[in-house]
Structure formats: C-alpha cells, structure tokens
Amino acid sequence: MLAPADSTLATVPTFNALSDIYTSDLLKHAARFQLLTEAFIATYGFKPSFIVRAPGRVNIIGEHIDYCGFPVFPMAIVPDSLIAVRATREHRIRLANINPKYPSREFSCESGSSVTINNTTHEWTNYFKCGYKGAIEAIDCTNPQGMECLMDSSVPSSAGLSSSSAIVCCAVLATMKVNGRLLPKGDVVETAVASERYIGTNGGGMDQTTSIMSQSQSAVFIEFDPELKITPVKFPSTDPQITFVIANTLVVSDKAVTAPVCYNLRVVETRIGALILAKHLGIADHRACKDADPLTFKVVMDEYFATQDTAGSDDVQVWIDHLDAMLHASTEAFGAHPDGYTREQMAAVLDMTPDALSAAVHEDRFPVRAQQFKLLQRAQHAFSEALRV
C-alpha cells in the first residue's frame, strides 16, 4: 500500500525545457537530444511525439537491504536513459538503439499477458519488454497502441548504476503515456519494480524508486515497509561544496546473468533467514508473519516488538535498540552454522521438505544455485547495514 504522501500521489512531470531537468552542461544535453531526434527521423521517417527520461542511481548507504524491507539512502545521477517515442496505428512495437552494439527488434503489441520474455538470453530489449508488459497489465489495457521507439543511454551498462532499471522505467512511462493512462508516481514505481522481475531478478525496489521519485539536488531516503515513503534530503551547504565521485571500475557484472548465484541467491538467503528467525523468536505463527509474502527481516523485527510500549521514547533510539536486538538474535539463531546451511538443514529447522521450502521462497520464478546458504552472514549484514542508514 502506498503512503498518503504527496510525492507518491503526484504525477510524473512533463518538461518543455532542458533547464528544468539539468542544472549544468545544457549545450551538451541539447546536442544529445537533437541527435536523438534526428536519428529517430532517420530511422522511422517522422519526428518523435515525446522523449521519456529515467536517470541511473548511486547508493550512498544501504546496500542489499531494500529487499529485506529496510530503508535505503540513494540518489539519482545525471547519466540517464532516454527513449524517443511515436505512437502508431500498427499493432507492433519497434525498438532501435542509438548504440549500434544493440540490434533493433520488434514485437506484436497485444495484451500484456501475451508478451513473452526469454530471460535465458541476454538481450537489451528484454528490459523494455518487461516495462511494457508490466505497464499494460497495470493500466489494464486490452488494445494497446503501437509504438516506434529509439533509445539512447549514458548510464554505463552492468556497472552498478541501474542502467537496466532506467530502461524499465522509461518503458513503463512510454507505454502508459502512449496509451493515455499515466498513473501517479507511486503506482509507476510499483509497476516498474514488479516489471523488472520478469527478467528473472528478484529486486527490492530501490533502483526504480530512485529513478522515478528523486528530486534535483537531493538524495532520497526511501522507506518500503509498512508502506512506500519518500523523503528528499538536501545536503548542507559547505565550503568547499560536498562532491560525490562516481568511479567506473570497468568491471562488468550483469545482475540478470549472475542472478542464480549472486543477487537472487542473496535474496533467497534473507527470505529463508527470516522464516527461521521468526521461528526462533516464537512468532512464526503470528498472522503478520504467516500472511507476509515475502516474509522479510523487517517484518520479523516489527512483529517481535509489536507489543512493546515505546510511548515517550526517542524513535531513533528505539530503532537502534531493535536492530541491535535482532543482531543478537540472528547470532543465536544461525551461529551454529557459521559456514552456512544445506537445503536439507534449513528445511529440517522449519519442519518442511526441501521442495516445500523452495516453493515458499518462489524459486520457481527466481531459481538459485548453491551448496551452502549463508544465513548468518545475510542476517548480520541486513541488520548492521540498516543501523548505518
């Protein structure tokens, strides 16, 4: 459920001047937009009707805890993805890219359920398809418009700056606008988060939220549970000014390709960790835990302290105390297996079969490969990183 905050209920803004988007290097940005427009005309024979934009992001504090339900503190960056778009009467989606490295593709634009995404093949247009499919489903569009699209991105791919999420966000925005149903920002975020999971990565939502909800000259404090809440944070004026250096190491790591042994594995370890921690704390049969899908470390912590009287207490100190207690509890729950658990050991703790445990954490959609599951390390990281945030 979305928080009743203006930021989530607001609509995605439309700008007519680049100075409303960028604060510097306007001539460089103008040349890029002009090149995109000219390339669109050369490709399709018409001017684009509009251009959608979604920036990349860098995370300041809060690594790998959004999918645990904990807050994060990222900010959007200037590098962004752009997609020039024109609606057509054909029932086709045509996709092209400024970068010749990425081949042009097209597919039939029918209902969202008919869009197939082969996530066994690493293909840039799959990310557009994810956003398109999610948007069509979100707006319940049964007769979608055709589109001609040309993309340009200045976000380095596979560099940890959310280039894939920027494409998904652009696709969601373009599809909604072409079909006349541009939803409020909060719904766009939820659509983009759910959409990217079609590629096979079980993400938590930080990347898409940052891209859609960020404001100029501000970082953003994002809370996911119990509801989405966005707090822009302006940095204080200093002399010299605060400067963030974003360095590209040129080491490539594609999240979708390595998901079964990296990203999705971490998510599954936290999901199973939450199930075992809830049982260890004696709250596994509480409705808040039984009904949660997924059950996260944040839900477990909140339910464990749900009856605690904190009236008159400092909220920040209560938060710190709860996280410290969970760090201690996770050591008790998982400390006997410092090198990890096998599937059989985790299932036995939960009185489940390995197959039932796999189904409970949705490995049918997000398969993982591991001999040992590092539950202690994941729990300690999640609670200690949440303390930093």
Side-chain angles (χ1 to χ4, degrees), residues 49-66:
S49 303
F50 59 89
I51 297 173
V52 291
R53 171 186 179 267
R57 67 97 189 99
V58 65
N59 197 14
I60 302 173
I61 312 175
E63 291 294 331
H64 285 284
I65 59 173
D66 55 340

Side-chain angles (χ1 to χ4, degrees), residues 25 27 32 66 136 138 143 154 204 221 275 303 315 353 357:
D25 298 324
L27 290 178
R32 181 176 170 224
D66 55 340
I136 291 297
N143 187 28
S154 58
F221 181 64
L275 291 169
E303 180 59 21
D315 289 343
T353 66
L357 177 58

Side-chain angles (χ1 to χ4, degrees), residues 57-61 72-76 206 210 218-222:
R57 67 97 189 99
V58 65
N59 197 14
I60 302 173
I61 312 175
V72 292
F73 188 54
M75 64 179 179
M206 173 182 69
T210 309
S218 297
V220 59
F221 181 64
I222 306 171

Side-chain angles (χ1 to χ4, degrees), residues 93 107-115 128-147 168 171-181 183 191-192 195 198:
I93 305 296
F107 62 93
S108 174
C109 64
E110 300 173 12
S111 62
S113 60
S114 68
V115 177
F128 185 96
K129 281 186 173 182
C130 287
Y132 175 83
K133 179 179 175 67
I136 291 297
E137 292 171 346
I139 63 177
D140 194 23
C141 182
T142 57
N143 187 28
Q145 286 270 78
M147 285 191 286
V168 173
V172 168
L173 292 170
T175 304
M176 288 183 174
K177 183 170 178 60
V178 160
N179 289 284
R181 288 284 311 281
L183 300 178
T191 300
S195 296
Y198 286 128

Side-chain angles (χ1 to χ4, degrees), residues 55-113:
R57 67 97 189 99
V58 65
N59 197 14
I60 302 173
I61 312 175
E63 291 294 331
H64 285 284
I65 59 173
D66 55 340
Y67 51 75
C68 298
F70 289 119
V72 292
F73 188 54
M75 64 179 179
I77 56 178
V78 174
D80 52 19
S81 288
L82 307 175
I83 298 183
V85 183
R86 188 179 83 94
T88 72
R89 294 182 179 180
E90 297 180 291
H91 291 288
R92 305 291 296 173
I93 305 296
R94 305 183 192 278
L95 305 174
N97 200 303
I98 284 281
N99 190 336
K101 172 183 175 182
Y102 302 110
S104 299
R105 300 282 190 246
E106 65 177 77
F107 62 93
S108 174
C109 64
E110 300 173 12
S111 62
S113 60

Side-chain angles (χ1 to χ4, degrees), residues 53-267:
R53 171 186 179 267
R57 67 97 189 99
V58 65
N59 197 14
I60 302 173
I61 312 175
E63 291 294 331
H64 285 284
I65 59 173
D66 55 340
Y67 51 75
C68 298
F70 289 119
V72 292
F73 188 54
M75 64 179 179
I77 56 178
V78 174
D80 52 19
S81 288
L82 307 175
I83 298 183
V85 183
R86 188 179 83 94
T88 72
R89 294 182 179 180
E90 297 180 291
H91 291 288
R92 305 291 296 173
I93 305 296
R94 305 183 192 278
L95 305 174
N97 200 303
I98 284 281
N99 190 336
K101 172 183 175 182
Y102 302 110
S104 299
R105 300 282 190 246
E106 65 177 77
F107 62 93
S108 174
C109 64
E110 300 173 12
S111 62
S113 60
S114 68
V115 177
T116 58
I117 300 166
N118 181 6
N119 56 25
T120 64
T121 301
H122 187 47
E123 162 68 47
W124 77 273
T125 54
N126 278 349
Y127 293 101
F128 185 96
K129 281 186 173 182
C130 287
Y132 175 83
K133 179 179 175 67
I136 291 297
E137 292 171 346
I139 63 177
D140 194 23
C141 182
T142 57
N143 187 28
Q145 286 270 78
M147 285 191 286
E148 294 172 337
C149 304
L150 179 62
M151 183 183 147
D152 178 35
S153 180
S154 58
V155 186
S157 63
S158 304
L161 297 176
S162 298
S163 59
S164 57
S165 295
I167 297 174
V168 173
C169 289
C170 278
V172 168
L173 292 170
T175 304
M176 288 183 174
K177 183 170 178 60
V178 160
N179 289 284
R181 288 284 311 281
L182 192 54
L183 300 178
K185 280 186 175 183
D187 293 326
V188 172
V189 166
E190 289 191 349
T191 300
V193 172
S195 296
E196 193 160 345
R197 292 180 183 139
Y198 286 128
I199 205 70
T201 53
N202 195 7
M206 173 182 69
D207 302 347
Q208 302 86 350
T209 306
T210 309
S211 191
I212 297 296
M213 303 296 298
S214 290
Q215 297 181 12
S216 178
Q217 305 298 303
S218 297
V220 59
F221 181 64
I222 306 171
E223 299 169 83
F224 299 99
D225 185 85
E227 55 195 4
L228 182 64
K229 183 179 179 182
I230 311 300
T231 306
V233 179
K234 287 190 174 295
F235 295 106
S237 298
T238 60
D239 187 13
Q241 290 184 336
I242 294 173
T243 300
F244 290 89
V245 177
I246 304 170
N248 186 356
T249 65
L250 303 181
V251 176
V252 173
S253 178
D254 189 276
K255 187 164 66 176
V257 172
T258 62
V261 294
C262 293
Y263 191 90
N264 285 356
L265 177 58
R266 292 183 71 115
V267 176

